[in-house]
Amino acid sequence: MSTSELKQRPHSVTLRFLAAPTDVDVTGNVPAGTVLEWVDKAAYAAAVGWSSNYCVTAYVGNIHFADPIHSGDLVEVKASVVYTGSSSMHIQTEVTFQDPRELRPVASSNCLVIFVAVDDQGKPTAVPSFTPGTAREIELRDNALARIDIREQIVASMKDQQYTDEGTAERVTLRFMASPTDVNWGGKVHGGMVMKWIDEAAELCAARYCQQETVAVFSGGIRFYRPLLIGHLVEVEARLVYTGNKGMHIAVHVRSGDPKTREMNLTTYCLTVMVTRDKTGTAVPVKPWVPVSTEDQRLWDHARELVAIRANAPGGYTPVHLVDSSAS
């Protein structure tokens, strides 16, 4: 592809959504799962526009959910290609929103999403190389490169963990069939829908533990291992693995399989942090969860390890309660 053709190829896409009454949950706010679905759609549009191929979600990085989005808010999701590998595209997304009666947008969250371009046989295919042209694009490229090692550490830590019935923490499993309404442009379940299921399961698990309404404030390390097919049986298992002062860390596994068989394969895994808020919207402390079994303790340590790894990412930080515990 010539340089002139690359210059004409769009590397950034902005999608706009008007948050509808049907988009909010029982808290009156748009849930994290819906925001993640919008992020996935915008990132997909950017990936397809750059590669001119069908693309699949491979990984969604750390995303913090700060200010709540309400029904009636105008939401804008900007997705920009910031780095390319041989077949992958690292896409920086930023979510802002505003009351359409006002003029000042509010920054809600941002994260890095990785898509892979695939051919008609579902095999990775080459994408054009992206070269940053501005100081801001160079900064975003460098941040994406810095996150590669962090991501590999997170993936390695997650891969080593085993989740069995020896765990005693709160756990819920949602089961349902993947329906045609969940389909993406490639005929499979799209990543945004899977992330919405993850949020729903994590919310239910956290609510059962603290016996209050909960919301997601963070989701990280969402790794997509294989496609999830329409018509397959889906299991979304959420398990409490750690509590901080306010956050409940929930590990979520998504498995799927042909309902005519008993085989279920892992499709997606991530860790979500949920909190409960008071009437002012401020997160409040939750009762600490104390590990009981050996597996409980191992997963408790695993959650703290992930927090420590993410603290080294660009813009990362160590929660106050972990700083205090390391100093004592």
Side-chain angles (χ1 to χ4, degrees), residues 42 246 250 262 295:
K246 301 175 181 178
I250 312 292
R262 294 182 179 273
E295 180 168 309

Side-chain angles (χ1 to χ4, degrees), residues 130-197:
F130 174 73
T131 301
T134 67
R136 177 57 176 164
E137 289 174 352
I138 292 172
E139 179 186 4
L140 292 173
R141 188 272 314 274
D142 291 345
N143 285 344
L145 288 171
R147 286 187 171 93
I148 292 177
D149 181 61
I150 299 296
R151 183 170 62 257
E152 290 177 348
Q153 293 180 50
I154 291 172
V155 170
S157 179
M158 288 180 165
K159 185 178 180 180
D160 291 339
Q161 301 307 313
Q162 296 294 322
Y163 293 75
T164 73
D165 291 336
E166 292 183 6
T168 68
E170 189 72 52
R171 176 170 49 169
V172 299
T173 301
L174 307 182
R175 293 186 179 89
F176 44 85
M177 302 290 287
S179 69
T181 56
D182 303 323
V183 71
N184 67 9
W185 294 269
K188 302 175 179 65
V189 176
H190 67 81
M193 181 58 65
V194 176
M195 290 188 283
K196 179 178 286 190
W197 294 339

Side-chain angles (χ1 to χ4, degrees), residues 116-135:
V116 173
V118 296
D119 59 21
D120 293 338
Q121 286 72 47
K123 302 296 183 181
T125 188
V127 300
S129 178
F130 174 73
T131 301
T134 67

Side-chain angles (χ1 to χ4, degrees), residues 36-307:
L36 285 168
E37 184 179 11
W38 293 338
V39 164
D40 187 66
K41 288 180 177 179
Y44 173 84
V48 171
W50 181 256
S51 67
S52 295
N53 279 286
Y54 170 63
C55 301
V56 296
T57 314
Y59 189 88
V60 179
N62 303 344
I63 178 168
H64 293 269
F65 302 97
D67 299 302
I69 300 173
H70 303 97
S71 174
D73 283 345
L74 179 62
V75 182
E76 184 173 285
V77 186
K78 182 179 180 180
S80 305
V81 176
V82 296
Y83 173 71
T84 53
S86 57
S87 61
S88 64
M89 290 153 287
H90 297 226
I91 300 169
Q92 182 69 34
T93 64
E94 181 180 10
V95 181
T96 58
F97 66 94
Q98 68 182 70
D99 185 322
R101 296 167 297 184
E102 302 175 357
L103 298 177
R104 185 177 60 183
V106 177
S108 176
S109 54
N110 61 78
C111 74
L112 193 73
V113 183
I114 299 176
F115 270 84
V116 173
V118 296
D119 59 21
D120 293 338
Q121 286 72 47
K123 302 296 183 181
T125 188
V127 300
S129 178
F130 174 73
T131 301
T134 67
R136 177 57 176 164
E137 289 174 352
I138 292 172
E139 179 186 4
L140 292 173
R141 188 272 314 274
D142 291 345
N143 285 344
L145 288 171
R147 286 187 171 93
I148 292 177
D149 181 61
I150 299 296
R151 183 170 62 257
E152 290 177 348
Q153 293 180 50
I154 291 172
V155 170
S157 179
M158 288 180 165
K159 185 178 180 180
D160 291 339
Q161 301 307 313
Q162 296 294 322
Y163 293 75
T164 73
D165 291 336
E166 292 183 6
T168 68
E170 189 72 52
R171 176 170 49 169
V172 299
T173 301
L174 307 182
R175 293 186 179 89
F176 44 85
M177 302 290 287
S179 69
T181 56
D182 303 323
V183 71
N184 67 9
W185 294 269
K188 302 175 179 65
V189 176
H190 67 81
M193 181 58 65
V194 176
M195 290 188 283
K196 179 178 286 190
W197 294 339
I198 286 171
D199 180 61
E200 291 172 349
E203 181 179 359
L204 177 57
C205 181
R208 284 190 170 181
Y209 172 75
C210 70
Q211 299 181 343
Q212 298 183 68
E213 293 176 354
T214 62
V215 296
V217 293
F218 171 86
S219 191
I222 307 176
R223 186 170 178 82
F224 293 83
Y225 294 95
R226 54 174 55 84
L228 199 157
L229 305 180
I230 301 300
H232 272 198
L233 174 65
V234 182
E235 289 185 352
V236 187
E237 181 185 286
R239 181 189 301 203
L240 179 72
V241 294
Y242 177 72
T243 55
N245 290 339
K246 301 175 181 178
M248 292 162 281
H249 295 230
I250 312 292
V252 185
H253 293 78
V254 182
R255 302 179 181 88
S256 67
D258 189 326
K260 297 187 293 295
T261 71
R262 294 182 179 273
E263 182 179 359
M264 299 291 285
N265 296 307
L266 179 66
T267 63
T268 312
Y269 170 58
C270 79
L271 190 136
T272 297
V273 180
M274 311 293 296
V275 300
T276 183
R277 290 174 170 157
D278 60 21
K279 293 182 179 179
T280 67
T282 304
V284 298
V286 295
K287 61 181 179 180
W289 176 67
V290 180
V292 176
S293 68
T294 301
E295 180 168 309
D296 290 343
Q297 185 63 54
R298 174 172 50 78
L299 293 177
W300 191 88
D301 292 336
H302 167 57
R304 289 171 65 96
E305 179 186 34
L306 290 180
V307 172

